[in-house]
Amino acid sequence: KPDESWPPMADHQALYKAAPKDANQNARRAAFLETQKSKRRNQHELARRIAQNPASQAEDDSDEEMADEGSEHQQRQQHASERGGTKNQIMESEWMAEVPEDLQGGWMFLVCPEGRRALVVSSWGITRAYTKTGKLLAKFSSALPCGAPSHSMKPQEYCIMDCIYDASTATFHVLDLMCWRGHPIYDTEAEFRFFWLQQKLDEEPALTVRSASNPNIFVPAARAETTPENVIAALCATYPYMIDGLLFYHKLGVYEPGVSPLVSWLKPAMVPTVLGLALPVVPPCVRPPGEEAAAAVGMEG
């Protein structure tokens, strides 16, 4: 049974950039869970649209060609068209303005490194990373299925993942898995997606080894059950990167592009006030508040 004394409820609205429009965040979480039971998305169509985005097959050398193709207005139109399949396809969090009533037992959390949020798609023998708005960040080979010219070119074997890219180490920290070898799992619960993500990455050990055919490595983001002990241990541990914050997922939540009340976000400095946890030591991988502005773009970038 969860410890009813943890976490405490507190007035911590001043910590946030913006409070949710509806102050009753717990009520919205319950309503969101109920709604997703009856809302079934055409997963295959969604995943296929992302993987077979027109830009995925026609964007090679497009940056160089665009300069000779016409006006600035035409260029903007072409880029907008190319982003059609990948725009706004990442599930985003809300600030934890109200502590979930079932936080302990009903939620898991991920330790997020500083970096840039990216939608990673492997298809047609190449891997692409996109921003939240669908802008192409990079094209490269990878050890993901269909992620390099030497791999299978079957159009149905694409993969789609939600990641944070750390440019300083050329590492994609994988937060979530939405599709693997053409099998979409958007409508499965978070707890299963995390299990499947770990299993699939374990099946492809080449993803963790940097090579000419896999210049960016892929590793799962550190995650754990949400308990006071685990949160403290996670923040006080040493990592090969700086921590941007903790991302909390409701175990029953499906992957829904857009802002979801079933995903909550806390900066490390907020944890003691919001969750009422005293950190025994200064976290070695957390920047002092004054240095955060100068750090790499994080979850909100």
PDB file of all heavy atoms in Angstrom, residues 204-222:
ATOM      1  N   GLU A 204      19.319  -5.736 -30.213  1.00  0.00           N
ATOM      2  CA  GLU A 204      20.173  -5.061 -31.209  1.00  0.00           C
ATOM      3  C   GLU A 204      21.374  -4.432 -30.504  1.00  0.00           C
ATOM      4  O   GLU A 204      21.467  -3.219 -30.373  1.00  0.00           O
ATOM      5  CB  GLU A 204      19.366  -3.976 -31.950  1.00  0.00           C
ATOM      6  CG  GLU A 204      18.107  -4.455 -32.632  1.00  0.00           C
ATOM      7  CD  GLU A 204      18.397  -5.305 -33.858  1.00  0.00           C
ATOM      8  OE1 GLU A 204      19.550  -5.276 -34.347  1.00  0.00           O
ATOM      9  OE2 GLU A 204      17.469  -5.988 -34.331  1.00  0.00           O
ATOM     10  N   PRO A 205      22.333  -5.261 -30.029  1.00  0.00           N
ATOM     11  CA  PRO A 205      23.475  -4.723 -29.265  1.00  0.00           C
ATOM     12  C   PRO A 205      24.319  -3.730 -30.052  1.00  0.00           C
ATOM     13  O   PRO A 205      25.002  -2.892 -29.459  1.00  0.00           O
ATOM     14  CB  PRO A 205      24.272  -5.981 -28.892  1.00  0.00           C
ATOM     15  CG  PRO A 205      23.839  -7.019 -29.884  1.00  0.00           C
ATOM     16  CD  PRO A 205      22.404  -6.732 -30.166  1.00  0.00           C
ATOM     17  N   ALA A 206      24.269  -3.784 -31.380  1.00  0.00           N
ATOM     18  CA  ALA A 206      25.063  -2.864 -32.200  1.00  0.00           C
ATOM     19  C   ALA A 206      24.628  -1.414 -32.010  1.00  0.00           C
ATOM     20  O   ALA A 206      25.388  -0.486 -32.306  1.00  0.00           O
ATOM     21  CB  ALA A 206      24.944  -3.241 -33.676  1.00  0.00           C
ATOM     22  N   LEU A 207      23.418  -1.195 -31.486  1.00  0.00           N
ATOM     23  CA  LEU A 207      22.928   0.155 -31.265  1.00  0.00           C
ATOM     24  C   LEU A 207      23.734   0.899 -30.198  1.00  0.00           C
ATOM     25  O   LEU A 207      23.784   2.134 -30.197  1.00  0.00           O
ATOM     26  CB  LEU A 207      21.454   0.121 -30.849  1.00  0.00           C
ATOM     27  CG  LEU A 207      20.435  -0.156 -31.959  1.00  0.00           C
ATOM     28  CD1 LEU A 207      19.063  -0.444 -31.359  1.00  0.00           C
ATOM     29  CD2 LEU A 207      20.358   1.021 -32.915  1.00  0.00           C
ATOM     30  N   THR A 208      24.352   0.163 -29.296  1.00  0.00           N
ATOM     31  CA  THR A 208      25.110   0.791 -28.200  1.00  0.00           C
ATOM     32  C   THR A 208      26.595   0.932 -28.514  1.00  0.00           C
ATOM     33  O   THR A 208      27.363   1.398 -27.674  1.00  0.00           O
ATOM     34  CB  THR A 208      24.947  -0.024 -26.903  1.00  0.00           C
ATOM     35  OG1 THR A 208      25.512  -1.339 -27.099  1.00  0.00           O
ATOM     36  CG2 THR A 208      23.485  -0.160 -26.525  1.00  0.00           C
ATOM     37  N   VAL A 209      26.977   0.525 -29.725  1.00  0.00           N
ATOM     38  CA  VAL A 209      28.388   0.572 -30.121  1.00  0.00           C
ATOM     39  C   VAL A 209      28.553   1.592 -31.251  1.00  0.00           C
ATOM     40  O   VAL A 209      27.910   1.481 -32.293  1.00  0.00           O
ATOM     41  CB  VAL A 209      28.884  -0.809 -30.585  1.00  0.00           C
ATOM     42  CG1 VAL A 209      30.350  -0.719 -30.988  1.00  0.00           C
ATOM     43  CG2 VAL A 209      28.692  -1.849 -29.495  1.00  0.00           C
ATOM     44  N   ARG A 210      29.419   2.566 -31.043  1.00  0.00           N
ATOM     45  CA  ARG A 210      29.644   3.573 -32.073  1.00  0.00           C
ATOM     46  C   ARG A 210      30.500   2.990 -33.200  1.00  0.00           C
ATOM     47  O   ARG A 210      31.542   2.363 -32.953  1.00  0.00           O
ATOM     48  CB  ARG A 210      30.346   4.786 -31.469  1.00  0.00           C
ATOM     49  CG  ARG A 210      30.145   6.069 -32.273  1.00  0.00           C
ATOM     50  CD  ARG A 210      30.823   7.246 -31.592  1.00  0.00           C
ATOM     51  NE  ARG A 210      30.520   7.343 -30.180  1.00  0.00           N
ATOM     52  CZ  ARG A 210      29.374   7.809 -29.682  1.00  0.00           C
ATOM     53  NH1 ARG A 210      28.416   8.199 -30.503  1.00  0.00           N
ATOM     54  NH2 ARG A 210      29.181   7.871 -28.379  1.00  0.00           N
ATOM     55  N   SER A 211      30.064   3.194 -34.426  1.00  0.00           N
ATOM     56  CA  SER A 211      30.784   2.673 -35.588  1.00  0.00           C
ATOM     57  C   SER A 211      30.447   3.531 -36.801  1.00  0.00           C
ATOM     58  O   SER A 211      29.613   4.445 -36.724  1.00  0.00           O
ATOM     59  CB  SER A 211      30.376   1.217 -35.846  1.00  0.00           C
ATOM     60  OG  SER A 211      28.997   1.144 -36.210  1.00  0.00           O
ATOM     61  N   ALA A 212      31.079   3.224 -37.924  1.00  0.00           N
ATOM     62  CA  ALA A 212      30.813   3.976 -39.150  1.00  0.00           C
ATOM     63  C   ALA A 212      29.363   3.836 -39.577  1.00  0.00           C
ATOM     64  O   ALA A 212      28.769   4.764 -40.127  1.00  0.00           O
ATOM     65  CB  ALA A 212      31.753   3.506 -40.263  1.00  0.00           C
ATOM     66  N   SER A 213      28.788   2.659 -39.319  1.00  0.00           N
ATOM     67  CA  SER A 213      27.397   2.424 -39.705  1.00  0.00           C
ATOM     68  C   SER A 213      26.418   2.783 -38.601  1.00  0.00           C
ATOM     69  O   SER A 213      25.206   2.722 -38.798  1.00  0.00           O
ATOM     70  CB  SER A 213      27.209   0.948 -40.094  1.00  0.00           C
ATOM     71  OG  SER A 213      27.552   0.102 -39.009  1.00  0.00           O
ATOM     72  N   ASN A 214      26.940   3.169 -37.407  1.00  0.00           N
ATOM     73  CA  ASN A 214      26.094   3.563 -36.284  1.00  0.00           C
ATOM     74  C   ASN A 214      26.805   4.683 -35.513  1.00  0.00           C
ATOM     75  O   ASN A 214      27.240   4.491 -34.372  1.00  0.00           O
ATOM     76  CB  ASN A 214      25.819   2.355 -35.365  1.00  0.00           C
ATOM     77  CG  ASN A 214      24.747   2.634 -34.336  1.00  0.00           C
ATOM     78  OD1 ASN A 214      23.582   2.800 -34.662  1.00  0.00           O
ATOM     79  ND2 ASN A 214      25.131   2.687 -33.068  1.00  0.00           N
ATOM     80  N   PRO A 215      26.925   5.869 -36.132  1.00  0.00           N
ATOM     81  CA  PRO A 215      27.696   6.957 -35.512  1.00  0.00           C
ATOM     82  C   PRO A 215      27.085   7.531 -34.244  1.00  0.00           C
ATOM     83  O   PRO A 215      27.799   8.091 -33.413  1.00  0.00           O
ATOM     84  CB  PRO A 215      27.743   8.015 -36.618  1.00  0.00           C
ATOM     85  CG  PRO A 215      26.522   7.736 -37.452  1.00  0.00           C
ATOM     86  CD  PRO A 215      26.375   6.245 -37.447  1.00  0.00           C
ATOM     87  N   ASN A 216      25.769   7.394 -34.084  1.00  0.00           N
ATOM     88  CA  ASN A 216      25.088   7.847 -32.865  1.00  0.00           C
ATOM     89  C   ASN A 216      24.584   6.619 -32.116  1.00  0.00           C
ATOM     90  O   ASN A 216      23.884   5.782 -32.696  1.00  0.00           O
ATOM     91  CB  ASN A 216      23.901   8.743 -33.213  1.00  0.00           C
ATOM     92  CG  ASN A 216      24.303   9.967 -33.991  1.00  0.00           C
ATOM     93  OD1 ASN A 216      24.922  10.873 -33.457  1.00  0.00           O
ATOM     94  ND2 ASN A 216      23.973   9.999 -35.281  1.00  0.00           N
ATOM     95  N   ILE A 217      24.939   6.509 -30.856  1.00  0.00           N
ATOM     96  CA  ILE A 217      24.494   5.324 -30.119  1.00  0.00           C
ATOM     97  C   ILE A 217      23.108   5.570 -29.507  1.00  0.00           C
ATOM     98  O   ILE A 217      22.688   6.701 -29.301  1.00  0.00           O
ATOM     99  CB  ILE A 217      25.503   4.913 -29.030  1.00  0.00           C
ATOM    100  CG1 ILE A 217      25.662   6.020 -27.992  1.00  0.00           C
ATOM    101  CG2 ILE A 217      26.841   4.564 -29.657  1.00  0.00           C
ATOM    102  CD1 ILE A 217      26.553   5.614 -26.814  1.00  0.00           C
ATOM    103  N   PHE A 218      22.416   4.474 -29.222  1.00  0.00           N
ATOM    104  CA  PHE A 218      21.078   4.520 -28.641  1.00  0.00           C
ATOM    105  C   PHE A 218      21.084   3.749 -27.324  1.00  0.00           C
ATOM    106  O   PHE A 218      21.481   2.577 -27.276  1.00  0.00           O
ATOM    107  CB  PHE A 218      20.059   3.881 -29.588  1.00  0.00           C
ATOM    108  CG  PHE A 218      19.776   4.688 -30.819  1.00  0.00           C
ATOM    109  CD1 PHE A 218      20.654   4.650 -31.906  1.00  0.00           C
ATOM    110  CD2 PHE A 218      18.644   5.490 -30.911  1.00  0.00           C
ATOM    111  CE1 PHE A 218      20.406   5.397 -33.047  1.00  0.00           C
ATOM    112  CE2 PHE A 218      18.389   6.239 -32.045  1.00  0.00           C
ATOM    113  CZ  PHE A 218      19.273   6.196 -33.121  1.00  0.00           C
ATOM    114  N   VAL A 219      20.628   4.418 -26.259  1.00  0.00           N
ATOM    115  CA  VAL A 219      20.549   3.769 -24.948  1.00  0.00           C
ATOM    116  C   VAL A 219      19.207   4.126 -24.311  1.00  0.00           C
ATOM    117  O   VAL A 219      18.694   5.228 -24.522  1.00  0.00           O
ATOM    118  CB  VAL A 219      21.694   4.208 -24.011  1.00  0.00           C
ATOM    119  CG1 VAL A 219      23.038   3.788 -24.570  1.00  0.00           C
ATOM    120  CG2 VAL A 219      21.659   5.711 -23.792  1.00  0.00           C
ATOM    121  N   PRO A 220      18.618   3.210 -23.547  1.00  0.00           N
ATOM    122  CA  PRO A 220      17.351   3.543 -22.884  1.00  0.00           C
ATOM    123  C   PRO A 220      17.590   4.521 -21.744  1.00  0.00           C
ATOM    124  O   PRO A 220      18.595   4.422 -21.031  1.00  0.00           O
ATOM    125  CB  PRO A 220      16.855   2.187 -22.374  1.00  0.00           C
ATOM    126  CG  PRO A 220      18.110   1.389 -22.186  1.00  0.00           C
ATOM    127  CD  PRO A 220      19.037   1.820 -23.287  1.00  0.00           C
ATOM    128  N   ALA A 221      16.698   5.477 -21.568  1.00  0.00           N
ATOM    129  CA  ALA A 221      16.807   6.399 -20.441  1.00  0.00           C
ATOM    130  C   ALA A 221      16.635   5.618 -19.141  1.00  0.00           C
ATOM    131  O   ALA A 221      15.835   4.678 -19.066  1.00  0.00           O
ATOM    132  CB  ALA A 221      15.739   7.482 -20.547  1.00  0.00           C
ATOM    133  N   ALA A 222      17.382   6.001 -18.116  1.00  0.00           N
ATOM    134  CA  ALA A 222      17.259   5.332 -16.815  1.00  0.00           C
ATOM    135  C   ALA A 222      15.839   5.525 -16.285  1.00  0.00           C
ATOM    136  O   ALA A 222      15.283   6.618 -16.356  1.00  0.00           O
ATOM    137  CB  ALA A 222      18.271   5.919 -15.837  1.00  0.00           C
TER     138      ALA A 222
END
